[in-house]
Every structure is written in structure tokens, then in C-alpha cells.
Amino acid sequence: MEPFKVHVLGCGSALPTLRHSASSQIVEIREKMFMIDCGEGTQMQLRRSRIRFTKISAIFISHLHGDHCFGLIGLISTFGLLGRTSPLHIYAPSEYKKVLDIELDMFCKQLGYELIFHPVNTTLNQVIYEDKSLTVSSIPLDHRMPCCGFIFVEKPTSRHIIGDMMKIYEVPISQRNNIKNGADWTTPDGEVIKNEFLTKPADSVRSYAYCSDTKYLPNLHTYIKNVNLLYHESTYSDEFKILAAKYYHSTARQAASVARDANAGKLMLGHYSSRYESEQVLLDEAKEVFPNTILSEEMKTIDV
């Protein structure tokens, strides 16, 4: 099975601390690297993670609060200094284009590579990126400014060839792709060999949902049904649920409710308020609703 991993670079909230960096993650899938959010200090976290800068092909920005995008122009500049030549795709709320153009004109006039901006309508659930192996769709969220999440979904793969059976029935190499795609094989004597004797089932399709800053949305689960791994912000514990509502954030218990209703495989908490010296209280509250919950942590890598 091809790698599908999430690398956590930062899981803190707006106020910088010595314990947590601002929001940023790398999604690694089938040898491709995608960044989600790029808070201040992300470049240093990339260095610590030993992820190759040049392998990042696209960056997805959930919204325009500084702890999710202040690091982007610096990273764009560094790509130029490193001699990048391949295009870099930026997917962000349409409002960011005006700011980005000013920053590029001021700091990055000679990048040496093409920067392609894709405006995202944060109010829609729609496919915003697609290649031969996956799709990325936006997930409408409700924050103090336009904001969306993202769901990465693998495309189905072909069935797995059983080499020994192919030899037994003398299936030509030229027919391998047809067999992988579900075709039966007819021998020269006219015997039909069913595909299930020649192949094993394809790998299960995997998915990862990133739900950035948002107040609790009771219907959010409808966009992410049966997701394998869900990241959902959990800025506060129940003790501060009034603050969560006021500032359009979620509590850990509310994040767990979304995971439960979505029938998610695993929940990862993050975007912790700086008031907590330990996030154990958040983990404990979430586990009361959704037991398969973990805490995100800088330099942690999670298999989807």
C-alpha cells in the first residue's frame, strides 16, 4: 500500500508559545507532498522534519488569520533561493490574491518559477484539486472570516495480480492491465478464468479531512462521512465553551462529536489555546465522546 501520511509541523493557535508552533501540516500521499496552512515559523519546522522543500507541489490555506498564513511569503521566497523551477500552486480564499500580489511585488520579483493562484470559494463543498491518484475538496466552515477545511481522498486503485495464478493459466503480459482492471481471462481452449482467481482486491480507499478554525457545526459530519483520519480544531475545553462560541472556535468535546457523527476512523485534535500547559484535559474530554482520539504534536507523523 502506498504511503498516506500526515506530518504535523505546528498545532498551536494564534498566540505563539515555546511549546507549539503555528498551524501547518504536510500531507504525503503516493510520493506527492501537499502543505496545509503555513503559519509563522513553518520553514524552521520543515527543516526539523527533514521533509524536502522541493517536493511540495501545492499549498492549501484555510483562511487569512496570521497563524495560518504569515509564513507563506517567506516560504515562497525560500523556494526561489533554493532554485526551484517547477510551478507552485496556491489554493486559498479569493481575498488573499490582493495581498499576495502586493507581497510578491515587494519581496519576490524574480522567483525563477511560476506561482499559480487558485481562488477557493469557502462557502462551497467542491473539488478544488484533482490528479490521477487523488482529489482535494473544500469543506465549508464557520469562523470569523471566510474559512474552509479540506478533504484528501484517494482514487480507487486497480486489483492486485496474483503472479503464480497468471503463470498457471499462461496469461500474456500484454493482458496484465486488463486483468488488473477486472477482466476475466479466456484460455486458448475456451475456458473462462474468473478475475477473482487471478487477482486480489484493490487496496481500500483512504481519506483525510482537515477542519481548520470553526465553531461547532452539527452538520459538518455530512461532508466527511467515514473519513479515515479527521483533524478538527479543539482550541478550548468545556470550561471555556462560551469563549469558543464567542470566537467561533470549538471545544475538544465538540470536535469529538463531529468525529462520532462522521463515523471517522480516528480523530486528531489541534489548534490548542496557549492557556494550556498540558492538553491532557482536551484529550480526556474528547475520549469521553470518541475514544479513538489522539493529540497532534509537532514532528508527529500519523498514518492515514
Side-chain angles (χ1 to χ4, degrees):
M1 185 174 289
E2 293 283 345
F4 190 169
K5 302 178 180 181
V6 176
H7 304 269
V8 179
L9 302 179
C11 55
S13 56
L15 187 64
T17 72
L18 295 176
R19 295 185 59 244
H20 292 302
S21 296
S23 294
S24 187
Q25 297 181 2
I26 295 289
V27 177
E28 175 187 355
I29 177 170
R30 300 189 191 179
E31 299 186 354
K32 304 182 186 77
M33 295 285 188
F34 304 95
M35 176 176 284
I36 309 178
D37 283 338
C38 188
E40 185 179 1
T42 293
Q43 290 189 70
M44 294 304 297
Q45 294 299 93
L46 272 174
R47 291 291 190 193
R48 293 187 178 98
S49 72
R50 299 188 182 278
I51 293 171
R52 289 175 57 191
F53 282 51
T54 54
K55 295 192 72 173
I56 298 171
S57 59
I59 300 175
F60 298 84
I61 301 296
S62 63
H63 65 293
L64 304 185
H65 277 157
D67 55 320
H68 295 259
C69 65
F70 275 175
L72 182 55
I73 191 62
L75 183 61
I76 289 171
S77 176
T78 294
F79 282 148
L81 294 174
L82 292 173
R84 183 187 183 105
T85 56
S86 60
L88 177 66
H89 296 263
I90 306 293
Y91 296 80
S94 55
E95 296 85 354
Y96 188 51
K97 181 65 164 60
K98 185 189 306 182
V99 177
L100 182 60
D101 285 344
I102 294 172
E103 291 179 320
L104 291 173
D105 184 62
M106 179 67 71
F107 303 114
C108 305
K109 289 184 177 180
Q110 296 179 334
L111 278 179
Y113 64 91
E114 184 180 10
L115 189 73
I116 304 170
F117 182 82
H118 303 266
V120 176
N121 186 334
T122 60
T123 67
L124 299 179
N125 173 223
Q126 61 181 352
V127 174
I128 58 175
Y129 172 90
E130 183 173 13
D131 63 29
K132 65 180 181 180
S133 59
L134 84 151
T135 62
V136 183
S137 299
S138 55
I139 306 170
L141 299 176
D142 192 358
H143 196 41
R144 301 192 304 278
M145 60 162 49
C147 182
C148 67
F150 306 102
I151 181 166
F152 292 72
V153 182
E154 281 185 310
K155 290 183 177 178
T157 57
S158 302
R159 294 177 65 86
H160 298 289
I161 292 289
I162 302 175
D164 290 344
M165 298 301 289
M166 297 283 283
K167 290 179 181 178
I168 290 172
Y169 291 104
E170 299 180 344
V171 181
I173 292 177
S174 62
Q175 294 301 310
R176 289 179 68 92
N177 285 338
N178 291 334
I179 300 298
K180 288 176 70 174
N181 289 325
D184 299 330
W185 169 245
T186 302
T187 69
D189 296 332
E191 181 184 3
V192 176
I193 310 302
K194 292 295 184 181
N195 186 267
E196 54 263 34
F197 291 106
L198 302 172
T199 63
K200 296 178 182 179
D203 297 330
S204 298
V205 171
R206 295 166 293 179
S207 55
Y208 171 57
Y210 175 91
C211 292
S212 184
D213 297 15
T214 183
K215 73 175 186 181
Y216 172 59
L217 296 174
N219 68 334
L220 179 56
H221 69 277
T222 62
Y223 298 109
I224 54 175
K225 276 291 186 183
N226 302 314
V227 68
N228 293 88
L229 176 63
L230 166 64
Y231 169 87
H232 193 295
E233 75 122 286
S234 53
T235 308
Y236 298 105
S237 62
D238 272 354
E239 180 184 0
F240 300 103
K241 61 184 178 182
I242 294 177
L243 280 182
K246 178 180 179 181
Y247 293 114
Y248 284 68
H249 284 296
S250 298
T251 68
R253 189 179 302 277
Q254 289 169 339
S257 297
V258 173
R260 177 199 62 204
D261 296 343
N263 192 36
K266 181 181 291 186
L267 169 65
M268 178 166 60
L269 305 177
H271 200 266
Y272 314 122
S273 168
S274 60
R275 71 183 67 245
Y276 298 107
E277 294 184 2
S278 167
E279 289 78 39
Q280 188 64 42
V281 60
L282 303 176
L283 182 62
D284 291 343
E285 286 186 1
K287 282 190 168 185
E288 290 176 6
V289 176
F290 190 79
N292 196 16
T293 301
I294 62 173
L295 294 171
S296 60
E297 183 180 344
E298 283 76 7
M299 301 300 108
K300 177 180 281 189
T301 298
I302 302 93
D303 288 311
V304 176

